[in-house]
Amino acid sequence: MFKDRLATAMIPARDFARARAWYADTLGLTPAEEFPDGGGAVYMLGGGLRAFLYPTAFAGSAQHTLMTFTCPDLAADMAALRAKGVRFLDYDLPGLKTVDGIASFGPVKNAWAKDSEGNILGFVQGM
């Protein structure tokens, strides 16, 4: 029933202005639409995905990945993001271990980082 409908990723922001600046300065995203008085911003991403950045006191409370970006060259993207101050998360869990921020699953490589609000974003090569 929903396979042909547009989907929207929801990204919470405790400080909307800070988050909007982070997404612009760090990821190079420009809102396609903004709501008045910092009420939210809609980003149009590749493949038709929309992301809605919205103010809420609950930002950063999810302990899972909220959104993942595909990367043709994960190492290069990580280097560019590190140059902008992004710190990648390291994990040492059963079935998930990162080395220098990268987890490898055969040909698929993943990395995770937090945005300015503490939300976990993923970066993946090989999917």
Side-chain angles (χ1 to χ4, degrees):
M1 172 173 11
F2 291 94
K3 72 179 186 117
D4 294 323
R5 296 187 189 172
L6 186 62
T8 303
M10 304 299 288
I11 306 168
R14 187 174 313 274
D15 182 326
F16 179 77
R18 176 181 62 202
R20 188 191 178 291
W22 190 90
Y23 279 87
D25 298 341
T26 307
L27 299 182
L29 301 181
T30 303
E33 180 181 0
E34 290 192 71
F35 296 93
D37 301 319
V42 177
Y43 298 88
M44 299 304 294
L45 305 174
L49 178 68
R50 292 185 309 185
F52 182 59
L53 181 66
Y54 66 99
T56 177
F58 301 106
S61 60
Q63 297 301 303
H64 61 278
T65 307
L66 290 184
M67 183 167 56
T68 298
F69 294 92
T70 58
C71 300
D73 185 340
L74 180 60
D77 286 343
M78 289 175 72
L81 290 170
R82 282 181 169 136
K84 294 180 178 190
V86 173
R87 293 178 49 193
F88 286 87
L89 303 174
D90 279 309
Y91 295 102
D92 190 1
L93 305 167
L96 175 62
K97 178 160 178 58
T98 56
V99 176
D100 195 28
I102 298 175
S104 296
F105 304 96
V108 177
K109 295 181 179 8
N110 289 86
W112 297 268
K114 291 185 178 182
D115 69 6
S116 63
E117 307 310 292
N119 300 308
I120 299 171
L121 302 177
F123 303 87
V124 62
Q125 176 183 321
M127 267 187 73

